[in-house]
Amino acid sequence: MAQFNWRMPRWFHQMGSPKWFYNFGGLLQPWFTLAAFLLLTCGMVWGLAFAPADYQQGNSFRIMYVHVPAAILSQSVFLSMAIAGAIGLIWKMKIAFMVARSCIAIGATFTLIALVTGAIWGKPTWGAYWVWDARLTSTLVLLFLYAGVMALNQAISERQIAGKATAILAIVGTINIPIIKYSVEWWNTLHQSSSFSLTDKPTMPSEMYLPLLLTVLGSYFLFGLVVLTRTRAQILQTQNGASWLMQHKDISGAK
Amino acid sequence: MGFMLAIIRRDLLLVARQPAEMINPLVFFVLVVALFPLGVSPEASLLSQTAAGVIWVAAMLATLLSLELLFKLDHDDGSLEQLLLAPYPSWCLVLAKVFVHWLVSGLPLILISPLIAMMLFLPSDAVPTLMLSLLLGTPTLSLLGAIGAALVTGVRGGGMLLTLLILPLYVPVIIFGASSVAAAALGMPVDGYMALLGAMFVFALMITPWAAGAALKL
């Protein structure tokens, strides 16, 4: 049998070192903060105040600038969580479990925001806050999945085991992501099909599309920022007393 | 294979010595279903419309209730650890235990479902579909539930947690299971629903023993 011999690049394994991740994350953090702040501020102000009103929906469509990024992120975060969990299981990296753990709360928040803004948007356009439509139902299931992952993660006190258990559940739960993504195409839903894509030509005028692009990108940076911050905080907790940390400039106070 | 047969024989023997384990989910199933006419309305027209969903939800809850003990007893008396140390892949163990679980909790539900259907005034044309959909669906429920049962084994207060973890995964099964019965009650074809239920069963059969086995080894 042929020898199965391939290697991941070195930076991949370096990511598994708490010290390396802590320092690298510390370098990225200010840039992520800046990018998230600028993109979200510009996108929101542009979208909410200056973009032209929709010819059918009037001003109510502006909730899109909150709803769409939250909905996209709710799925991306779940996928990231599952991928981080799989990396943790395959390469036995503690950092990956920490990253997966950091994803849970922010992902659940995005899902909740997507559902609430969707309900608020649904009232003027569909005449109902909630309908049992495939897209809405599968997003609700996503929220329940986040709740399950969160409950499991907190029920097991041993960090390492909690990380592995969460990873398995997250990987199994990923089955829901394609269902959400394609629910608007597979079933005849009240929810409109996707009108936002990075690769296809936008179906709306650029004055409406560009602010949306900014808020989506900004949300990704916000997600990255939250994950970096929370993972670094977990490194501080678990590595408490480690010599590299005690000598680190963040701890010892040396300039 | 010998290993799996040995597990199946052992688990069946354990159930035979403790028959309440087999009867409790069944009683629970009948009780939950009986609550609906009392709680909602005893009117035949309304009941026959809701029968499919009610039966499926009750079957799901009964399965969940019995799943908690799938690995727990073996974990508590230490035999699970020994079984995992045996030189066989852990998915064999999961598959054998799930099979017994389905035989003990799923199959009786299917057998009693015509009676329940009659109590809820489900049109008699839909009863074969109900039984067939349960036959295809309940093994999927047991398989998916095994992941949750394996994950919460050894966790305090695992029962509630198990419900939280597994119910979201049950959603597709209940949607297609209940709509197949509803379609049959209206005299519409059910082949598509059955194909989907079968596909979900095969998919669960491939994935879940592996995932539950990995979860048991944590």
Side-chain angles (χ1 to χ4, degrees), chain A:
Chain A
M1 204 176 93
Q3 184 72 33
F4 192 53
N5 194 3
W6 52 281
R7 284 159 190 264
M8 298 302 284
R10 185 201 271 175
W11 62 263
F12 181 79
H13 291 287
Q14 279 174 330
M15 275 294 195
S17 142
K19 180 185 175 185
W20 205 86
F21 190 97
Y22 186 83
N23 289 330
F24 185 63
L27 278 180
L28 287 183
Q29 233 171 344
W31 296 107
F32 272 57
T33 316
L34 190 69
F37 179 76
L38 283 179
L39 286 168
L40 280 176
T41 314
C42 293
M44 288 292 173
V45 172
W46 189 0
L48 295 181
F50 297 107
D54 188 78
Y55 76 101
Q56 267 182 330
Q57 300 182 19
N59 279 322
S60 75
F61 93 98
R62 289 182 201 277
I63 201 166
M64 171 177 87
Y65 296 110
V66 185
H67 176 75
V68 173
I72 292 178
L73 262 292
S74 69
Q75 298 164 48
S76 297
V77 175
F78 200 94
L79 212 55
S80 315
M81 180 170 75
I83 292 172
I87 291 175
L89 286 176
I90 296 168
W91 283 279
K92 309 215 180 325
M93 270 187 207
K94 278 186 221 160
I95 297 285
F97 291 136
M98 291 181 192
V99 170
R101 186 189 163 103
S102 312
C103 288
I104 306 172
I106 179 84
T109 313
F110 275 128
T111 317
L112 199 63
I113 292 174
L115 283 170
V116 170
T117 53
I120 296 170
W121 195 5
K123 188 65 182 167
T125 43
W126 299 340
Y129 286 114
W130 182 261
V131 285
W132 290 96
D133 155 277
R135 175 57 74 83
L136 277 68
T137 310
S138 52
T139 306
L140 186 65
V141 169
L142 184 68
L143 185 65
F144 292 151
L145 281 171
Y146 273 119
V149 170
M150 200 183 289
L152 184 68
N153 198 294
Q154 285 172 5
I156 306 175
S157 47
E158 173 67 42
R159 283 256 174 139
Q160 190 72 5
I161 297 177
K164 286 182 187 168
T166 311
I168 292 178
L169 187 66
I171 293 169
V172 172
T174 315
I175 187 74
N176 190 32
I177 298 295
I179 298 181
I180 302 180
K181 176 92 177 65
Y182 294 107
S183 56
V184 283
E185 291 166 30
W186 291 343
W187 289 285
N188 213 345
T189 52
L190 189 55
H191 191 288
Q192 62 162 344
S193 53
S194 176
S195 52
F196 176 79
S197 156
L198 284 178
T199 47
D200 295 341
K201 205 170 159 294
T203 54
M204 54 184 119
S206 56
E207 308 88 73
M208 281 157 98
Y209 174 80
L210 284 176
L212 185 59
L213 188 67
L214 293 186
T215 54
V216 170
L217 288 178
S219 300
Y220 271 104
F221 276 107
L222 180 66
F223 161 52
L225 175 66
V226 170
V227 167
L228 281 179
T229 314
R230 290 179 67 112
T231 308
R232 290 182 84 218
Q234 287 180 66
I235 292 176
L236 287 181
Q237 280 175 349
T238 51
Q239 296 281 308
N240 187 11
S243 59
W244 70 266
L245 192 56
M246 292 300 109
Q247 288 156 14
H248 199 279
K249 61 179 166 50
D250 289 3
I251 304 291
S252 58
K255 294 292 169 200

Side-chain angles (χ1 to χ4, degrees), chain B:
Chain B
M1 200 63 207
F3 176 67
M4 284 169 77
L5 282 177
I7 302 273
I8 291 172
R9 189 176 311 138
R10 167 181 173 273
D11 278 16
L12 283 176
L13 195 65
L14 285 174
V15 174
R17 289 183 182 153
Q18 198 71 258
E21 216 180 297
M22 184 167 169
I23 298 181
N24 286 348
L26 203 58
V27 176
F28 176 82
F29 178 61
V30 179
L31 256 173
V32 168
V33 171
L35 287 179
F36 276 85
L38 305 177
V40 181
S41 149
E43 199 144 339
S45 60
L46 192 75
L47 279 178
S48 67
Q49 268 179 27
T50 50
V54 169
I55 293 173
W56 261 98
V57 170
M60 220 163 74
L61 292 176
T63 310
L64 264 180
L65 195 72
S66 52
L67 268 170
E68 197 193 339
L69 296 178
L70 188 61
F71 301 111
K72 194 173 187 320
L73 299 176
D74 283 355
H75 174 264
D76 290 351
D77 67 12
S79 50
L80 185 68
E81 215 176 321
Q82 302 300 322
L83 288 170
L84 285 173
L85 282 175
Y88 300 97
S90 54
W91 59 260
C92 289
L93 171 70
V94 174
L95 211 53
K97 289 193 86 71
V98 167
F99 177 68
V100 175
H101 174 264
W102 176 77
L103 217 55
V104 168
S105 71
L107 195 59
L109 295 189
I110 301 172
L111 295 177
I112 208 173
S113 62
L115 179 73
I116 302 288
M118 202 188 67
M119 282 168 68
L120 293 179
F121 307 102
L122 188 75
S124 53
D125 303 342
V127 171
T129 309
L130 173 68
M131 291 182 78
L132 190 63
S133 70
L134 283 172
L135 188 65
L136 282 170
T138 46
T140 318
L141 297 184
S142 293
L143 282 166
L144 286 174
I147 301 179
L151 284 172
V152 303
T153 301
V155 178
R156 219 154 39 87
M160 194 65 207
L161 191 59
L162 173 71
T163 320
L164 268 181
L165 302 188
I166 292 307
L167 274 181
L169 298 176
Y170 277 3
V171 169
V173 184
I174 194 171
I175 289 177
F176 292 109
S179 18
S180 73
V181 182
L186 294 172
M188 293 196 298
V190 293
D191 313 22
Y193 297 109
M194 290 303 153
L196 275 168
L197 282 174
M200 283 192 268
F201 169 57
V202 174
F203 190 66
L205 194 62
M206 287 192 311
I207 305 294
T208 57
W210 172 82
L216 274 182
K217 282 191 183 158
L218 293 184

